[in-house]
Amino acid sequence: MMKQAAERLILKYIFVFTLLLTCLFTGRVQASSEIDVGLIVSQFSAEVIAPSAFVATEPDGNQTTLEKGKYFIAANSGKIMLGSHQLASGTVLEMAEPKDKEEKTNKNATTTSDKVSGKTANQKQDQNKEQNKDRTSADSSRHLFTVNRQEYRGALKIYITNEGKNLTVVNRVPLEYYVNSVLGPKSSPIWPDEAIKAQAVAVRSLAWYYKNNPESSLFAVRAVEPETFYGGIRTENKNITKVAALTAGQVLYYNGRPAAAYTCESSGGMTVSAAEVLQKDIPYLRAVQDYDTDCPSFTWEKKIQAATISRLLEQGGHKIGRLRGYRISDSEKPATKDRYPSGRVKIIYWQGDLGSVTLSGQELADMLALSSNWFDVYLTDPVPQKLDVPIENSYGIEIGKKQIPIEIKGREKSTWKSAIPGYHFLEGTADETLLFKGKGIGRGLGLSKWGAKGMADTAPEKAKDYYKTILLHYYPGTYLVSAY
């Protein structure tokens, strides 16, 4: 009997353990749906505008109610100076809402109106919906903080950093509002719903990853991240928000942990692996085919004078004088020394009159404002922007001139092949020009904006929840979890 009882007890424990695992991997994750976003990080000051009265709550629970208006925030001897008010680090700013007074006023107004008009229950319900919609729209503008001229939902948290010299302003906002703001510039309301839903899940998943793996002890993620920009209410799009709401709470997991679902705009036909971009192996972030050919900058060109590159190098601390040459292998025959397996530039060498410098491909792309670090470099012959062509009458007499714009296509191959593979000499003349020809926009890591659209455009007619297929293509091995 005792043996049977022990066996039943063991089976009971196994059942409970199995149930817990099931909830962990396939069920709803119980956690807060808010995220802390670093708006201003270790800066001297900030400007905050409050459209109505607000409450400042210090870490010790002390509360101060402040009037609406514009406030200048700065750090002073380890304390926060909010206008003329001195507050402790970690103070939370929240809008004051006299709910009891508003509810009483709204109730009295509704009762009086109903008595006069004699409206039915359904009519009252419809009217209340419209009134609530109008009130919500009006209240949203009255209850949003403005930080450095950008409006944000939620509360603000202010910290003193850098030994009391700087301050960091954090926006605590519901996660779905964060997703709506980031997703606005990354998508389009006229795109297929399945593309928007895939993007929404990816953006939410990365936010959820940062929430569980915060960048700082003060916030989970910065407002400005590679391929991700949180602009508050300004970057929200109501039509995109409606579609994104269909996936509310859904995030990607891999092997029981939140997945870092990085995104990009366009990879140029093939995404890159995490090993290439982040220098670490992530199984669900490997190179896959991208369907982003509709991107206007799927391929791009940009010509820059050698003198301009020399000046920008000097501004960046690399005083090498007039450029005399550069070294980079061809993307069609990449050398492992200076290119990644994808063909993107790993490093590029520049030689000048006064010295030389080696930059990473991403450093050069950032310095020259190139769309990506997947490019080739060609030397072009100096050609005028426009050509003046004389206009003559039937007697051969010039009666005017016409300007014809000249488009520089550049050479498809390097000017000449030197004895040093990949090295190209420059003359150092004032009008010497280099042509950069590349592919894609951004780092090319993870789901691409245009790739999601490309897949959704070719989805089978009656395919249900095709956004899941899109996500699985770009993040193989991941699965969806309802986080909240």
Side-chain angles (χ1 to χ4, degrees):
M1 293 289 293
M2 292 183 63
K3 183 179 179 181
Q4 292 178 346
E7 289 177 349
R8 285 197 298 269
L9 184 61
I10 292 173
L11 290 173
K12 181 178 180 181
Y13 280 125
I14 292 175
F15 173 76
V16 172
F17 183 71
T18 304
L19 183 63
L20 288 172
L21 286 178
T22 302
C23 291
L24 175 63
F25 292 107
T26 62
R28 186 177 296 274
V29 178
Q30 297 298 329
S32 170
S33 60
E34 293 182 319
I35 187 169
D36 289 342
V37 185
L39 303 180
I40 297 172
V41 180
S42 294
Q43 294 188 14
F44 292 111
S45 61
E47 180 189 82
V48 173
I49 299 176
S52 62
F54 63 101
V55 178
T57 305
E58 298 182 76
D60 61 2
N62 183 48
Q63 292 188 330
T64 304
T65 301
L66 295 94
E67 296 299 321
K68 67 177 182 179
K70 182 186 295 185
Y71 291 84
F72 182 76
I73 308 177
N76 185 8
S77 302
K79 291 285 187 178
I80 300 168
M81 293 304 300
L82 181 63
S84 59
H85 301 274
Q86 191 176 66
L87 305 167
S89 177
T91 292
V92 178
L93 307 183
E94 296 177 289
M95 288 295 177
E97 297 184 21
K99 294 182 179 179
D100 293 339
K101 183 177 179 180
E102 286 184 1
E103 289 176 359
K104 185 176 180 181
T105 301
N106 292 337
K107 183 177 180 181
N108 292 338
T110 301
T111 303
T112 303
S113 175
D114 292 343
K115 287 180 179 179
V116 174
S117 62
K119 292 181 178 178
T120 65
N122 289 336
Q123 289 174 326
K124 287 189 292 182
Q125 188 177 14
D126 293 339
Q127 183 187 32
N128 288 339
K129 285 182 180 179
E130 291 301 318
Q131 289 177 343
N132 289 335
K133 186 185 297 182
D134 295 339
R135 192 178 299 118
T136 300
S137 177
D139 288 347
S140 64
S141 61
R142 292 204 309 266
H143 293 87
L144 295 177
F145 284 109
T146 299
V147 181
N148 287 356
R149 301 184 179 182
Q150 296 275 12
E151 286 186 306
Y152 297 96
R153 301 181 187 275
L156 300 179
K157 302 171 73 175
I158 308 174
Y159 298 95
I160 297 297
T161 57
N162 192 22
E163 299 179 350
K165 300 175 183 178
N166 299 89
L167 57 85
T168 292
V169 179
V170 175
N171 179 206
R172 171 163 286 183
V173 62
L175 193 54
E176 290 304 317
Y177 283 131
Y178 172 84
V179 172
N180 296 340
S181 178
V182 173
L183 190 59
K186 294 176 72 69
S187 193
S188 171
I190 63 173
W191 282 5
D193 287 357
E194 298 307 299
I196 298 174
K197 287 193 283 185
Q199 289 182 287
V201 172
V203 169
R204 189 183 300 109
S205 297
L206 185 58
W208 189 255
Y209 171 82
Y210 280 127
K211 184 177 172 64
N212 288 272
N213 302 274
E215 290 188 9
S216 163
S217 59
L218 303 182
F219 54 84
V221 62
R222 293 174 185 256
V224 180
E225 289 288 336
E227 315 286 355
T228 302
F229 173 71
Y230 170 65
I233 193 172
R234 180 175 63 85
T235 52
E236 292 179 8
N237 182 295
K238 63 180 181 180
N239 293 321
I240 295 176
T241 295
K242 289 179 182 178
V243 179
L246 300 175
T247 67
Q250 294 182 15
V251 296
L252 292 172
Y253 268 59
Y254 181 85
N255 199 22
R257 297 178 181 275
Y262 294 99
T263 59
C264 64
E265 185 161 347
S266 166
S267 72
M270 181 69 69
T271 67
V272 299
S273 67
E276 181 172 312
V277 179
L278 307 176
Q279 285 73 56
K280 58 182 178 180
D281 183 38
I282 300 178
Y284 55 87
L285 287 175
R286 56 177 184 256
V288 298
Q289 183 179 357
D290 201 2
Y291 300 91
D292 58 339
T293 52
D294 285 344
C295 176
S297 296
F298 180 75
T299 59
W300 51 266
E301 296 183 6
K302 184 172 185 177
K303 53 183 173 53
I304 306 173
Q305 287 190 334
T308 300
I309 297 174
S310 177
R311 185 177 70 254
L312 291 174
L313 284 170
E314 184 172 349
Q315 291 175 358
H318 309 294
K319 192 173 182 179
I320 64 173
R322 288 184 301 173
L323 295 183
R324 289 300 187 178
Y326 62 92
R327 184 176 182 178
I328 183 70
S329 63
D330 194 292
S331 63
E332 295 180 0
K333 297 180 180 180
T336 56
K337 181 180 179 180
D338 58 22
R339 287 190 184 270
Y340 291 108
S342 67
R344 290 172 179 258
V345 177
K346 184 188 298 182
I347 58 171
I348 183 169
Y349 172 85
W350 295 96
Q351 178 67 53
D353 284 336
L354 306 178
S356 63
V357 64
T358 299
L359 299 179
S360 72
Q362 193 57 54
E363 284 178 322
L364 185 71
D366 292 339
M367 185 183 77
L368 302 181
L370 303 178
S371 295
S372 73
N373 64 341
W374 191 352
F375 58 81
D376 284 295
V377 188
Y378 304 96
L379 177 64
T380 67
D381 296 323
V383 179
Q385 296 288 332
K386 295 180 180 180
L387 183 65
D388 288 330
V389 179
I391 300 174
E392 300 178 348
N393 60 19
S394 58
Y395 298 101
I397 301 174
E398 183 176 327
I399 58 174
K401 289 185 178 181
K402 180 180 180 180
Q403 284 190 333
I404 300 177
I406 299 174
E407 182 181 0
I408 300 177
K409 290 292 186 181
R411 295 171 179 162
E412 292 301 320
K413 296 297 178 183
S414 303
T415 306
W416 56 278
K417 295 181 179 180
S418 66
I420 306 175
Y423 193 89
H424 309 275
F425 285 97
L426 300 175
E427 296 180 4
T429 57
D431 55 357
E432 200 164 28
T433 302
L434 295 177
L435 176 69
F436 293 81
K437 300 181 69 174
K439 296 180 181 180
I441 304 174
R443 300 186 301 175
L445 182 63
L447 170 74
S448 81
K449 164 183 174 177
W450 288 93
K453 177 186 180 297
M455 285 192 69
D457 283 340
T458 58
E461 286 187 17
K462 296 184 179 180
K464 184 179 181 182
D465 293 337
Y466 193 74
Y467 73 98
K468 296 178 181 179
T469 301
I470 298 174
L471 291 169
L472 194 59
H473 172 75
Y474 287 95
Y475 309 108
T478 61
Y479 54 91
L480 284 173
V481 167
S482 294
Y484 50 86

